[in-house]
Amino acid sequence: MSNYNWDFPYSSQRMPVFARNMVAASQPLATQTGIEILRKGGNAADAAIAAAITLTVVECTNNGIGGDAFAIIWDNKSEKLYALNASGKSPKSWNFEYFTKKYKKMPFTGWDSVTVPGAVSGWFELSGRFGRLPFETLFQPAIKYAEKGFHVSPITAKLWKEVIGKYREFPDFQDNFTFRGRAPEVGEKICFVDQANTLSEIARSKTHSFYRGELADKIADHAQSSGGFISKEDLLNHQAEWVEPISIDYKGFDIHEVPPNGQGIAVLIMLGILSHLNIEKYPLDSADSIHLQIEAMKLAFTDLYQYISDPDCMNINYQDLLKKSYLSERAKCIDLNIAQKVSYGFPQEQGDTVYLTTADEEGMMVSFIQSNYTGFGSGIVVPGTGISLQSRGACFSLKKNHPNQVEGGKKPFHTIIPAFVTKKGRPVMSFGVMGGTMQPQGQAQILVRMIDYHQNSQAASDAPRWCVLSDTEVAFEKGTDEEVMKDLKEKGHKVAIRDSSLFGGAQLIHKIDQVYCGASDHRKDGQAAGF
């Protein structure tokens, strides 16, 4: 393998896949796991869970057993959408004074970034409510890959090499996720025996061990012995929540997101603003079209970072941000010719996430996302388990009296957001875009391309993207027209060209008549497959 150059210097198109059963995931082995489960008689919920569990092994750079998860499910039987929030709270013993005395900004590594992991509870809740196969069956492919080994895919290997440097001071991480201190090479075979045993224990105990039994004891004991705050009580009290999706009508299509503590509402605010600006009259990929989208996104981010947190701690009703009268007034703030300065703040690091979507021939569709937040997460790995704990606490604020200020027993602001589209009460598309603050921006860009400009899902995913960085600074992906960027500079945007890794990765399943169209982003190792 080492004799070959694993760079990919040429642009390429992926073709959409059409089938009556479909899985699209960010790593091909996870996609094939979902297909395997569907062929065994499982439904879309079973396939999503099995693929998600597999991703903790084969794409461990972006998620893990110690992360959080969210999902939106179209249930064909009740003909209704359901949303699942499987994010964890901060340890109950955390307090604002401790963090403000110790830090200038929230840490991205170490125990002070670790919140209670919720993904495992999400798998169990989704299986219990909508699954068809036994819960234990869904773990078998992941356990096989962890125990017998898998070969590392190119983009995963690249990210692995880029991020391991920040975990040099974490010996348990080094023991579990490096090989004599190095990242694995492209195509190298690796095994995670501890993780295989942990997944077997979670499957056997139906997650009881993770939150109440032996694995919970190991997590809490490791925290107590090494400076952490997570207790057995914190794990025992965790519960994934079924919540009502929030939505907005955008030109006849209903766009659905999981409500706060997630950032999905930013997609709805942006689209709600654009609905008053007649963006479709400007040519696709023109400077005017892109400018209006960027300005609407900036306004959405302003509200997002000012108001959104754990809904129990917010000082407004977040539904007020989606009122037509409010969005109409926000649209009036946009000048077609000038990039305006807007005050808001971004998390300091780009998030790393996995997204997948599944659909079966009976009509169920699942939009699913999980993450350890940045890379492998906090760097804290529970000895003997392969559990890499997330760094989601970094999303709290150190600003006093902010609704997202850090404190104990509270869910932090969350970046990972699955999305779903319906029309006249019927399912249209299950999709998501990975990548921290790129997620709402990527979702909105895809929806504008498909709804306003009628691009197909694969083309909408393939197209060069932009990403608001701060105030008037905007990053553009290679392939963006140079004349368009010149025009945007004249409007006042500070333009930079960035590597494709900044612009996330989409997976999409679009229902067209009686068949699904699956699309997968070339920015990730993944694939769409069906039968």
Side-chain angles (χ1 to χ4, degrees), residues 250-267:
Y250 185 66
K251 302 179 181 179
F253 292 85
D254 292 308
I255 317 301
H256 305 270
E257 301 281 349
V258 178
N261 53 319
Q263 65 173 338
I265 194 171
V267 181

